[in-house]
Amino acid sequence: MHFSGKNKVLAVLFAALLLMPMAGAVSESGDIREAEFFKAPDEAANGENGLFDELSVKAELYNENFDEVPMLFKRLVGSQEIALQIKQDDENMLYATAIMRGGMVGEFYSYDTPEDPISKFGPSMTVETDEQTVHQILDSEDPLKEAVQSMNEGTLVVEVEGFFRKAVLWTITKLYS
């Protein structure tokens, strides 16, 4: 089988994605216990803290429906720290961090400054957007496709570190546009 230049890159990328192990390595160092994942606080259901509460509830829902999340997206978010910077409708900024564990939300918290006061290493992914774009994505029947459309329009800016994450993000933008 012969591939042209662009198709060769895609073929190699897809082969790499399919062959990479999904989660961690085998360990003989003792008992392995299941990680705890994010659960929204009970008070978040009433939405008193606005957009952050809504995102907290959606993060828990994402974890509950993890089996339905596209594999490429799971690989993109993997196990990393994701910084969110969202300009709210009231002109205030919402700064939040999602600590991902194997593609699921392990921790999710907000803070008042552009720099995460808890972070030890800094984010490997940064997402910048506004509240209206967040609602368009969350309310969409196909949130991933809506997110890609927002990236193409420039209302959602996603910056990732590392060749692998950049390649996965590029692939997502081509498949879901």
Side-chain angles (χ1 to χ4, degrees):
M1 181 178 285
H2 176 65
F3 293 103
S4 66
K6 186 175 182 181
N7 289 337
K8 188 181 291 185
V9 170
L10 283 174
V12 169
L13 180 61
F14 283 121
L17 291 174
L18 293 173
L19 296 175
M20 294 192 83
M22 191 46 203
V26 176
S27 172
E28 296 180 18
S29 63
D31 293 333
I32 297 174
R33 59 186 175 95
E34 189 173 325
E36 293 182 25
F37 293 101
F38 179 76
K39 180 164 176 21
D42 291 337
E43 60 271 8
N46 65 23
E48 284 182 20
N49 292 321
L51 184 58
F52 182 73
D53 279 354
E54 183 177 354
L55 291 172
S56 295
V57 170
K58 295 293 186 178
E60 181 179 348
L61 185 62
Y62 167 88
N63 282 348
E64 290 172 2
N65 295 292
F66 187 69
D67 291 341
E68 298 175 31
V69 176
M71 182 62 68
L72 275 176
F73 187 79
K74 290 177 185 179
R75 290 183 186 266
L76 176 65
V77 298
S79 295
Q80 66 177 316
E81 186 175 309
I82 301 173
L84 305 171
Q85 300 175 1
I86 303 169
K87 186 175 184 179
Q88 299 178 93
D89 291 342
D90 65 4
E91 299 298 316
N92 288 319
M93 290 296 293
L94 170 62
Y95 300 104
T97 294
I99 306 293
M100 305 302 290
R101 297 186 182 120
M104 295 181 78
V105 181
E107 296 176 45
F108 186 59
Y109 56 91
S110 66
Y111 38 93
D112 296 328
T113 62
E115 298 296 319
D116 183 343
I118 300 172
S119 176
K120 292 179 175 78
F121 302 107
S124 50
M125 179 185 289
T126 303
V127 178
E128 296 179 30
T129 191
D130 57 52
E131 187 170 354
Q132 180 181 357
T133 302
V134 169
H135 286 294
Q136 285 175 334
I137 293 168
L138 294 177
D139 297 339
S140 172
E141 288 186 27
D142 190 345
L144 191 52
K145 187 171 186 158
E146 185 69 33
V148 168
Q149 182 177 338
S150 296
M151 285 189 284
N152 290 336
E153 294 170 354
T155 57
L156 177 68
V157 178
V158 179
E159 295 178 7
V160 296
E161 293 183 7
F163 173 78
F164 178 74
R165 286 187 189 107
K166 287 178 183 178
V168 173
L169 181 60
W170 179 85
T171 303
I172 288 172
T173 62
K174 299 306 174 199
L175 289 175
Y176 290 90
S177 58

